[in-house]
Short mmCIF file of all heavy atoms in Angstrom, two decimals:
data_model
loop_
_atom_site.label_atom_id
_atom_site.label_comp_id
_atom_site.label_asym_id
_atom_site.label_seq_id
_atom_site.Cartn_x
_atom_site.Cartn_y
_atom_site.Cartn_z
N GLU Y 1 -1.30 19.70 7.45
CA GLU Y 1 -1.45 19.29 8.87
C GLU Y 1 -2.16 20.35 9.67
O GLU Y 1 -3.03 20.10 10.48
CB GLU Y 1 -0.06 18.95 9.50
CG GLU Y 1 0.51 17.62 9.06
CD GLU Y 1 1.70 17.24 9.93
OE1 GLU Y 1 2.23 18.10 10.60
OE2 GLU Y 1 2.07 16.02 9.90
N THR Y 2 -1.75 21.60 9.44
CA THR Y 2 -2.34 22.76 10.07
C THR Y 2 -2.45 23.83 9.00
O THR Y 2 -1.49 24.04 8.20
CB THR Y 2 -1.55 23.33 11.22
OG1 THR Y 2 -1.40 22.25 12.16
CG2 THR Y 2 -2.24 24.49 11.90
N PHE Y 3 -3.57 24.53 8.91
CA PHE Y 3 -3.74 25.57 7.86
C PHE Y 3 -2.64 26.63 7.99
O PHE Y 3 -2.43 27.23 9.01
CB PHE Y 3 -5.08 26.26 8.08
CG PHE Y 3 -6.27 25.41 7.71
CD1 PHE Y 3 -7.35 25.33 8.61
CD2 PHE Y 3 -6.28 24.67 6.57
CE1 PHE Y 3 -8.45 24.59 8.28
CE2 PHE Y 3 -7.39 23.87 6.22
CZ PHE Y 3 -8.47 23.82 7.11
N GLU Y 4 -1.87 26.77 6.90
CA GLU Y 4 -0.82 27.76 6.83
C GLU Y 4 -0.91 28.59 5.54
O GLU Y 4 -0.59 29.80 5.49
CB GLU Y 4 0.57 27.15 6.90
CG GLU Y 4 0.89 26.50 8.20
CD GLU Y 4 2.31 25.96 8.26
OE1 GLU Y 4 3.24 26.70 7.90
OE2 GLU Y 4 2.49 24.74 8.57
N LEU Y 5 -1.30 27.98 4.45
CA LEU Y 5 -1.32 28.60 3.16
C LEU Y 5 -2.43 29.65 3.09
O LEU Y 5 -3.64 29.28 3.08
CB LEU Y 5 -1.53 27.59 2.04
CG LEU Y 5 -0.35 26.63 1.86
CD1 LEU Y 5 -0.73 25.49 0.89
CD2 LEU Y 5 0.90 27.36 1.32
N ALA Y 6 -2.09 30.91 3.09
CA ALA Y 6 -3.06 31.97 3.04
C ALA Y 6 -3.44 32.28 1.61
O ALA Y 6 -3.04 33.29 1.04
CB ALA Y 6 -2.57 33.20 3.77
N VAL Y 7 -4.20 31.36 0.99
CA VAL Y 7 -4.52 31.49 -0.42
C VAL Y 7 -6.03 31.72 -0.52
O VAL Y 7 -6.85 31.08 0.12
CB VAL Y 7 -4.11 30.19 -1.19
CG1 VAL Y 7 -4.44 30.36 -2.68
CG2 VAL Y 7 -2.67 29.91 -1.01
N GLU Y 8 -6.36 32.71 -1.39
CA GLU Y 8 -7.79 32.94 -1.67
C GLU Y 8 -8.06 32.76 -3.13
O GLU Y 8 -7.19 33.03 -3.96
CB GLU Y 8 -8.14 34.36 -1.24
CG GLU Y 8 -7.96 34.65 0.26
CD GLU Y 8 -8.29 36.06 0.64
OE1 GLU Y 8 -8.60 36.85 -0.31
OE2 GLU Y 8 -8.31 36.38 1.82
N GLY Y 9 -9.27 32.27 -3.48
CA GLY Y 9 -9.60 32.05 -4.87
C GLY Y 9 -11.06 31.70 -5.00
O GLY Y 9 -11.70 31.32 -4.05
N PRO Y 10 -11.58 31.79 -6.21
CA PRO Y 10 -13.00 31.56 -6.38
C PRO Y 10 -13.34 30.09 -6.32
O PRO Y 10 -14.51 29.71 -6.13
CB PRO Y 10 -13.25 32.09 -7.83
CG PRO Y 10 -11.89 31.98 -8.52
CD PRO Y 10 -10.93 32.28 -7.40
N ASP Y 11 -12.35 29.17 -6.46
CA ASP Y 11 -12.64 27.74 -6.46
C ASP Y 11 -11.50 27.05 -5.66
O ASP Y 11 -10.59 26.44 -6.24
CB ASP Y 11 -12.71 27.21 -7.86
CG ASP Y 11 -13.43 25.87 -7.94
OD1 ASP Y 11 -13.81 25.28 -6.90
OD2 ASP Y 11 -13.59 25.36 -9.07
N LEU Y 12 -11.57 27.14 -4.34
CA LEU Y 12 -10.52 26.66 -3.54
C LEU Y 12 -11.10 25.86 -2.32
O LEU Y 12 -12.06 26.34 -1.71
CB LEU Y 12 -9.69 27.86 -2.95
CG LEU Y 12 -8.59 27.53 -1.90
CD1 LEU Y 12 -7.48 26.82 -2.58
CD2 LEU Y 12 -8.17 28.84 -1.25
N VAL Y 13 -10.51 24.72 -2.04
CA VAL Y 13 -10.88 23.87 -0.94
C VAL Y 13 -9.61 23.65 -0.09
O VAL Y 13 -8.61 23.20 -0.65
CB VAL Y 13 -11.51 22.56 -1.29
CG1 VAL Y 13 -11.82 21.68 -0.08
CG2 VAL Y 13 -12.73 22.76 -2.15
N SER Y 14 -9.66 23.97 1.18
CA SER Y 14 -8.52 23.78 2.07
C SER Y 14 -8.85 22.68 3.13
O SER Y 14 -9.88 22.83 3.83
CB SER Y 14 -8.15 25.05 2.78
OG SER Y 14 -7.78 26.09 1.84
N LEU Y 15 -8.02 21.69 3.25
CA LEU Y 15 -8.21 20.59 4.21
C LEU Y 15 -7.04 20.57 5.15
O LEU Y 15 -5.92 20.85 4.78
CB LEU Y 15 -8.30 19.26 3.46
CG LEU Y 15 -9.28 19.09 2.33
CD1 LEU Y 15 -9.14 17.75 1.67
CD2 LEU Y 15 -10.73 19.27 2.82
N GLN Y 16 -7.32 20.21 6.41
CA GLN Y 16 -6.24 20.02 7.40
C GLN Y 16 -6.50 18.77 8.21
O GLN Y 16 -7.66 18.32 8.34
CB GLN Y 16 -6.12 21.25 8.35
CG GLN Y 16 -7.25 21.38 9.37
CD GLN Y 16 -6.92 22.47 10.41
OE1 GLN Y 16 -5.80 23.00 10.44
NE2 GLN Y 16 -7.88 22.77 11.30
N GLY Y 17 -5.41 18.24 8.73
CA GLY Y 17 -5.50 17.02 9.51
C GLY Y 17 -6.09 17.26 10.83
O GLY Y 17 -6.37 18.36 11.26
N ARG Y 18 -6.27 16.17 11.59
CA ARG Y 18 -6.79 16.21 12.97
C ARG Y 18 -6.07 15.29 13.82
O ARG Y 18 -5.83 14.09 13.47
CB ARG Y 18 -8.31 15.92 12.89
CG ARG Y 18 -9.01 16.11 14.25
CD ARG Y 18 -10.52 15.96 14.09
NE ARG Y 18 -10.87 14.57 13.75
CZ ARG Y 18 -12.04 14.20 13.31
NH1 ARG Y 18 -12.97 15.12 13.07
NH2 ARG Y 18 -12.30 12.93 13.08
N GLN Y 19 -5.72 15.74 15.03
CA GLN Y 19 -5.04 14.84 15.95
C GLN Y 19 -6.06 13.92 16.63
O GLN Y 19 -7.25 14.17 16.63
CB GLN Y 19 -4.28 15.69 17.03
CG GLN Y 19 -5.18 16.48 17.93
CD GLN Y 19 -4.43 17.41 18.87
OE1 GLN Y 19 -4.81 18.51 19.15
NE2 GLN Y 19 -3.34 16.94 19.43
N ALA Y 20 -5.54 12.82 17.16
CA ALA Y 20 -6.40 11.82 17.78
C ALA Y 20 -7.01 12.43 19.03
O ALA Y 20 -6.52 13.30 19.70
CB ALA Y 20 -5.57 10.57 18.13
N SER Y 21 -8.18 11.84 19.43
CA SER Y 21 -8.86 12.27 20.66
C SER Y 21 -8.20 11.66 21.87
O SER Y 21 -7.18 10.90 21.72
CB SER Y 21 -10.30 11.80 20.64
OG SER Y 21 -10.38 10.39 20.62
N LEU Y 22 -8.68 11.95 23.03
CA LEU Y 22 -8.12 11.37 24.23
C LEU Y 22 -8.19 9.83 24.26
O LEU Y 22 -7.42 9.15 24.89
CB LEU Y 22 -8.83 11.91 25.49
CG LEU Y 22 -8.59 13.40 25.81
CD1 LEU Y 22 -9.51 13.88 26.90
CD2 LEU Y 22 -7.10 13.60 26.25
N GLU Y 23 -9.18 9.34 23.52
CA GLU Y 23 -9.40 7.85 23.43
C GLU Y 23 -8.46 7.28 22.32
O GLU Y 23 -8.50 6.03 22.08
CB GLU Y 23 -10.80 7.51 23.14
CG GLU Y 23 -11.79 7.86 24.29
CD GLU Y 23 -12.12 9.30 24.33
OE1 GLU Y 23 -11.95 9.98 23.27
OE2 GLU Y 23 -12.49 9.83 25.39
N GLY Y 24 -7.70 8.09 21.67
CA GLY Y 24 -6.85 7.62 20.60
C GLY Y 24 -7.54 7.39 19.26
O GLY Y 24 -6.97 6.69 18.36
N THR Y 25 -8.72 7.88 19.08
CA THR Y 25 -9.47 7.75 17.85
C THR Y 25 -9.67 9.08 17.16
O THR Y 25 -9.49 10.17 17.79
CB THR Y 25 -10.83 7.09 18.12
OG1 THR Y 25 -11.60 7.95 19.01
CG2 THR Y 25 -10.65 5.72 18.79
N GLY Y 26 -10.13 9.01 15.93
CA GLY Y 26 -10.49 10.25 15.20
C GLY Y 26 -9.40 10.95 14.48
O GLY Y 26 -9.62 12.05 13.89
N GLU Y 27 -8.16 10.38 14.49
CA GLU Y 27 -7.07 11.04 13.78
C GLU Y 27 -7.29 11.02 12.28
O GLU Y 27 -7.73 10.03 11.71
CB GLU Y 27 -5.77 10.33 14.12
CG GLU Y 27 -4.55 11.00 13.47
CD GLU Y 27 -3.25 10.25 13.76
OE1 GLU Y 27 -3.32 9.11 14.18
OE2 GLU Y 27 -2.15 10.87 13.50
N ILE Y 28 -6.98 12.14 11.65
CA ILE Y 28 -7.00 12.23 10.19
C ILE Y 28 -5.61 12.68 9.74
O ILE Y 28 -5.14 13.74 10.06
CB ILE Y 28 -8.07 13.32 9.74
CG1 ILE Y 28 -9.45 12.86 10.19
CG2 ILE Y 28 -7.99 13.44 8.21
CD1 ILE Y 28 -10.54 13.87 9.81
N THR Y 29 -4.96 11.75 8.99
CA THR Y 29 -3.60 11.97 8.51
C THR Y 29 -3.53 12.66 7.19
O THR Y 29 -4.55 12.69 6.41
CB THR Y 29 -2.87 10.59 8.47
OG1 THR Y 29 -3.45 9.81 7.42
CG2 THR Y 29 -2.91 9.85 9.81
N LEU Y 30 -2.35 13.05 6.80
CA LEU Y 30 -2.17 13.67 5.49
C LEU Y 30 -2.42 12.63 4.37
O LEU Y 30 -2.97 12.99 3.33
CB LEU Y 30 -0.78 14.22 5.33
CG LEU Y 30 -0.48 15.58 6.03
CD1 LEU Y 30 0.98 16.02 5.79
CD2 LEU Y 30 -1.41 16.68 5.54
N ARG Y 31 -2.06 11.40 4.62
CA ARG Y 31 -2.30 10.33 3.62
C ARG Y 31 -3.79 10.24 3.34
O ARG Y 31 -4.17 10.12 2.17
CB ARG Y 31 -1.70 9.00 4.09
CG ARG Y 31 -0.22 9.03 4.33
CD ARG Y 31 0.29 7.61 4.37
NE ARG Y 31 0.17 6.94 3.06
CZ ARG Y 31 0.46 5.68 2.83
NH1 ARG Y 31 0.90 4.92 3.80
NH2 ARG Y 31 0.29 5.13 1.62
N ARG Y 32 -4.61 10.24 4.34
CA ARG Y 32 -6.04 10.18 4.18
C ARG Y 32 -6.56 11.40 3.39
O ARG Y 32 -7.40 11.28 2.52
CB ARG Y 32 -6.72 10.05 5.52
CG ARG Y 32 -8.24 10.21 5.50
CD ARG Y 32 -8.94 8.99 4.95
NE ARG Y 32 -10.35 9.20 4.94
CZ ARG Y 32 -11.19 9.01 5.97
NH1 ARG Y 32 -10.68 8.55 7.14
NH2 ARG Y 32 -12.49 9.15 5.88
N LEU Y 33 -6.04 12.57 3.75
CA LEU Y 33 -6.52 13.80 3.11
C LEU Y 33 -6.16 13.83 1.65
O LEU Y 33 -6.90 14.34 0.82
CB LEU Y 33 -5.92 14.99 3.85
CG LEU Y 33 -6.43 15.30 5.22
CD1 LEU Y 33 -5.74 16.45 5.84
CD2 LEU Y 33 -7.94 15.52 5.24
N VAL Y 34 -4.95 13.32 1.29
CA VAL Y 34 -4.57 13.34 -0.14
C VAL Y 34 -5.54 12.45 -0.92
O VAL Y 34 -5.99 12.84 -2.04
CB VAL Y 34 -3.16 12.82 -0.30
CG1 VAL Y 34 -2.78 12.55 -1.78
CG2 VAL Y 34 -2.14 13.79 0.25
N LYS Y 35 -5.89 11.32 -0.36
CA LYS Y 35 -6.82 10.42 -1.07
C LYS Y 35 -8.18 11.06 -1.21
O LYS Y 35 -8.87 10.94 -2.23
CB LYS Y 35 -6.92 9.10 -0.34
CG LYS Y 35 -5.60 8.28 -0.32
CD LYS Y 35 -5.69 7.09 0.59
CE LYS Y 35 -4.33 6.36 0.63
NZ LYS Y 35 -4.29 5.26 1.62
N GLU Y 36 -8.66 11.74 -0.16
CA GLU Y 36 -9.96 12.38 -0.19
C GLU Y 36 -9.93 13.55 -1.18
O GLU Y 36 -10.93 13.82 -1.83
CB GLU Y 36 -10.34 12.91 1.20
CG GLU Y 36 -10.53 11.83 2.27
CD GLU Y 36 -11.68 10.85 1.88
OE1 GLU Y 36 -12.66 11.30 1.27
OE2 GLU Y 36 -11.63 9.70 2.31
N ALA Y 37 -8.82 14.28 -1.27
CA ALA Y 37 -8.71 15.40 -2.13
C ALA Y 37 -8.87 15.00 -3.62
O ALA Y 37 -9.43 15.78 -4.42
CB ALA Y 37 -7.37 16.13 -1.93
N LEU Y 38 -8.44 13.82 -3.93
CA LEU Y 38 -8.53 13.37 -5.33
C LEU Y 38 -10.00 13.14 -5.73
O LEU Y 38 -10.34 13.10 -6.97
CB LEU Y 38 -7.76 12.09 -5.50
CG LEU Y 38 -6.22 12.21 -5.55
CD1 LEU Y 38 -5.58 10.83 -5.57
CD2 LEU Y 38 -5.81 13.06 -6.70
N ARG Y 39 -10.86 13.01 -4.76
CA ARG Y 39 -12.30 12.83 -5.03
C ARG Y 39 -13.03 14.16 -5.18
O ARG Y 39 -14.27 14.16 -5.39
CB ARG Y 39 -12.97 12.02 -3.94
CG ARG Y 39 -12.39 10.60 -3.75
CD ARG Y 39 -13.17 9.77 -2.78
NE ARG Y 39 -12.71 8.42 -2.69
CZ ARG Y 39 -11.94 7.92 -1.74
NH1 ARG Y 39 -11.48 8.80 -0.77
NH2 ARG Y 39 -11.54 6.70 -1.73
N MET Y 40 -12.30 15.25 -5.08
CA MET Y 40 -12.92 16.55 -5.15
C MET Y 40 -12.71 17.30 -6.45
O MET Y 40 -12.81 18.52 -6.54
CB MET Y 40 -12.37 17.45 -4.00
CG MET Y 40 -12.68 16.92 -2.61
SD MET Y 40 -12.07 17.95 -1.32
CE MET Y 40 -12.67 17.16 0.14
#
């Protein structure tokens, strides 16, 4: 949800969620990120 894992490595991708905008759009949930991570 928020970057916490202080991990470094030669082949590492770190993703974090995003809260919705003032209009209530643009939110990125952990469920969405897990699905996207599988494509990486």
Side-chain angles (χ1 to χ4, degrees):
E1 283 191 344
T2 302
F3 291 133
E4 294 184 51
L5 293 169
V7 182
E8 297 179 356
D11 199 356
L12 174 72
V13 178
S14 299
L15 307 175
Q16 74 170 352
R18 186 172 67 195
Q19 65 186 141
S21 66
L22 289 171
E23 294 77 22
T25 61
E27 181 183 16
I28 298 178
T29 65
L30 282 181
R31 297 198 66 185
R32 170 73 181 277
L33 290 177
V34 171
K35 295 171 184 175
E36 296 297 331
L38 288 174
R39 299 186 175 100
M40 297 182 177

